[in-house]
Amino acid sequence: MHISFKPFYFIIVIVSFYVIHLPFTECTIAFEEVNKFGSHKSTRENKVSRQINHQKTTDIALHGLLLWASMGFLMPLGILTIRGSCKAEPGSRRSRFLFYLHVVFQMLSVLLATVGAAISLKKFENSFDNNHQRLGLALYAAILMQAFIGFFRPQRGKKERSYWYFVHWILGTIVSLVGIINIFTGLEAFHRRTLKSTRFWTILFTAQVSIIGLIYLLQDKLEHLKKQGVIVGTESIVPSDQDNIPQRQDHQKELHLVACAKRNALGNLFD
């Protein structure tokens, strides 16, 4: 009897087809699920990355704003006020008011610089491998030293007063100038980190520094400009020779008693 194997061949072919095709089908489904999961994960990571970048940009901007208010505004303003107090009569109400205003400005400057430094240490990667971070660290140490020196001011008339004033004046001037320079380096660092343009803020801060520098230079010349009649509302009165004749002898006597010297903003503080 002859047995036909064709049905068995047909069954074997069908079974083989499913055995061979089924793993590929499962792999395809699994691959699609992996792609879907990977795409979802990538989208979520991109969203988190954007949130982190936005938060980082906000932290950098806040740090810059605090240090601008400290080093770029309050500290120069404090210098202008103390120079203004030197023009007033020592011990007068105006002199005391401007002096305490100077103290308030400088204390606020130290406070804002401390908050800005804390944000930098907590939020940023401080490897101190660039000029901005190195200058910032040195500036903060100098600010604390300047505040410490300011609280131990000797009384007028003591020998240590002149030495104290020279150290306080030269350190404050250096801190203010280097602080302004570091603000410019900070703007450049912000541009490199965020790729955002800082040209507008650089121009605005340059204009502010120029105005402060102009006021600083005019403070010593203000009295001279008033006497020369340059300031609006004042007149330069030149007395005649006849008016000078009766008083010439008295003026010569006074010149022997009073030293003729230019009075500037440093006069009172060295007394």
Side-chain angles (χ1 to χ4, degrees), residues 159-177:
K159 183 180 179 180
E160 298 83 6
R161 175 79 177 194
S162 297
Y163 302 109
W164 168 87
Y165 176 76
F166 178 77
V167 174
H168 189 63
W169 169 70
I170 196 69
L171 183 59
T173 302
I174 293 173
V175 167
S176 184
L177 292 177

Side-chain angles (χ1 to χ4, degrees), residues 72-82 102 105-106 212:
F73 182 70
L74 289 175
M75 188 168 290
L77 199 59
I79 293 175
L80 295 179
T81 55
I82 197 63
H102 165 80
F105 285 152
Q106 301 309 83
I212 291 176

Side-chain angles (χ1 to χ4, degrees), residues 180-194:
I180 290 173
I181 294 173
N182 209 35
I183 290 175
F184 284 110
T185 63
L187 289 170
E188 181 63 25
F190 179 80
H191 171 67
R192 289 197 306 268
R193 178 67 68 88
T194 63

